[in-house]
Amino acid sequence: MPTEPSPLGQPIPPAWRTFVLVAGAYTLAMCVYLPIRAWTGTDFHDFWENARWFLHRGEVRFDLGVHNYLPFFTLFMAPWGILPLEVALNLFTLLSVGLLVCTALMADVILRDDVQPPHDLLHHRDARGAAGARSRAAQPSLTLILPLLLVAPYAHSTLTLGAVNILLLFLITSCWLLVRRGREWIAGVPLGLAVLIKLLPAALLPMLLLARRWRSAAAALGVMIALGAGFTLLVLGPERMAEAHQQFRGSALESHGARQTLSVEKPQKAKYSNVSVPIVMRRLLTPVNADPHEDRPGFLVNITDLPRESLWPIYAVMMASLLFVTLAATWRAGRSEAPEPLNAALGAWIALMLLAAPLVWTHYLVLMHWPLAVAAHRLVETRRREGRICRAAASALIVWIIAIAALASPHARAVGTATLAIAVVWGVMITLALATPRPARAARG
């Protein structure tokens, strides 16, 4: 009986070859450019210098650009401090580009697997159907390429700064791939590591609980306790560990917290590249200078001047409402037999994660890759299955593209165009999570 030829040794299709060449050329250009500015105050320079200080002094510092990171992050980054800065930065860039490509491929695999026809249809499909599948595999799908393009400006910014957002994105997507494949215990490992690297992904733990992925949530908590408490205690000792966590709480959770931003006369990190909800509220509702250079004349975009004491109740009600709706949508999606609602629920939690964060630089928006991939996939599948345009998915993508164009305007950034785009995508993900999935058209036999 004839079998399908092995893909090993066969030439790479032209479309995939172009994809690989573009990614390779971009990576090479970044590896040439980034070492030139390696000492100019990038995030990675701060990470590297903090790692060097720890390796030589055994201390965790919070004055080198790592005030929003748990003490474990310094231990995690310590191996990079062994290398010269330029070498470490290039290796980290290669790793980040590779992880971004892997993330896009994983998201594409998850979303494509969730719409595969039943096994009996696969078993009985004709040669024409098999040829069509091979033809589709010969070129990158829209679900793969479009989300990459939509986060490209933010991915480039992340790479230029040497930030860890792409690593977080990879770990979150890896977690969800393992969940979808039924490897729930292992799925919690990357999520737990992501939380220890940066606290933001902790917002996804309630999603796992509501989706009844108990094992994944338990494994994530186990990793956080084992590495964040056990390993950190073993390396630092009780006193230095307690001191480091106290410094983290004072810096990340208090000085840069939402309540502090909304209540103090002169909030920190007020410049227009910070698109968190609290600072956008301050810039819109009170006169706050959004210019990154404080010695320049005031850059104000406020539309009113409300008393500062009224801002926290508005913010609290807003966040509570977003959380309640997301919880309700996830609870319903977790009881659906179809995978699409839970995919959208994860997208809603990622958007909520950024909306609830007290500090969000524009390069954080690369983390929106998954919800944008869900929207792009729904757009393609609705067109293929039902011959129509999914208006919700299309609106999310259009608003996101407008927000990318608005990056060119400091005023657009200051008034929260990117924040509004995140909120729109969140709303679309909620809509898709609550929608009743329609059955796919039967394959023609």
Side-chain angles (χ1 to χ4, degrees), residues 270-300:
K271 59 184 179 181
Y272 59 79
S273 291
N274 181 4
V275 296
S276 69
V277 170
I279 198 61
V280 170
M281 287 180 60
R282 280 300 306 268
R283 290 196 296 251
L284 287 176
L285 303 180
T286 65
V288 171
N289 184 13
D291 196 309
H293 303 282
E294 296 183 359
D295 55 337
R296 295 179 181 175
F299 177 17
L300 306 179

Side-chain angles (χ1 to χ4, degrees), residues 248-415:
F248 167 77
R249 184 184 65 184
S251 177
L253 304 181
E254 295 177 4
S255 297
H256 294 89
R259 189 156 199 164
Q260 184 81 353
T261 298
L262 292 168
S263 60
V264 298
E265 181 178 355
K266 188 176 182 181
Q268 300 184 51
K269 312 294 185 183
K271 59 184 179 181
Y272 59 79
S273 291
N274 181 4
V275 296
S276 69
V277 170
I279 198 61
V280 170
M281 287 180 60
R282 280 300 306 268
R283 290 196 296 251
L284 287 176
L285 303 180
T286 65
V288 171
N289 184 13
D291 196 309
H293 303 282
E294 296 183 359
D295 55 337
R296 295 179 181 175
F299 177 17
L300 306 179
V301 295
N302 60 299
I303 57 177
T304 186
D305 186 5
L306 295 180
R308 290 198 303 274
E309 56 270 18
S310 68
L311 300 183
W312 172 251
I314 297 173
Y315 173 81
V317 170
M318 185 188 309
M319 289 297 111
S321 301
L322 293 174
L323 178 60
F324 175 79
V325 173
T326 308
L327 290 169
T330 307
W331 183 85
R332 177 172 172 178
R335 281 143 186 81
S336 172
E337 296 181 0
E340 291 94 336
L342 267 183
N343 288 337
L346 175 62
W349 279 99
I350 291 174
L352 180 62
M353 173 181 77
L354 293 176
L355 291 173
L359 182 65
V360 179
W361 302 112
T362 48
H363 60 271
Y364 285 23
L365 271 62
V366 71
L367 294 168
M368 289 291 288
H369 176 271
W370 174 258
L372 293 171
V374 171
H377 180 261
R378 178 57 65 93
L379 190 68
V380 171
E381 283 302 307
T382 302
R383 181 67 178 174
R384 183 181 67 85
R385 291 181 176 188
E386 305 169 27
R388 66 178 182 88
I389 299 295
C390 177
R391 295 181 180 178
S395 65
L397 299 178
I398 291 171
V399 169
W400 191 264
I401 292 171
I402 293 173
I404 292 175
L407 289 173
S409 168
H411 286 83
R413 293 200 204 186
V415 300

Side-chain angles (χ1 to χ4, degrees), residues 120-203:
D120 56 341
L121 291 180
L122 286 172
H123 182 71
H124 293 98
R125 67 184 180 182
D126 56 17
R128 189 184 345 179
R134 286 194 297 271
S135 175
R136 289 191 296 272
Q139 55 185 350
S141 69
L142 188 63
T143 306
L144 172 69
I145 297 299
L146 182 57
L148 273 179
L149 293 176
L150 293 177
V151 299
Y154 311 110
H156 176 74
S157 180
T158 294
L159 292 167
T160 302
L161 292 170
V164 296
N165 305 320
I166 292 175
L167 174 58
L168 297 180
L169 175 63
F170 171 78
L171 292 172
I172 292 170
T173 310
S174 298
C175 169
W176 194 239
L177 175 64
L178 291 167
V179 167
R180 301 305 305 176
R181 294 295 173 87
R183 308 291 297 274
E184 294 190 15
W185 282 112
I186 301 177
V189 175
L191 181 59
L193 182 58
V195 174
L196 292 175
I197 293 172
K198 198 169 183 66
L199 199 56
L200 275 177

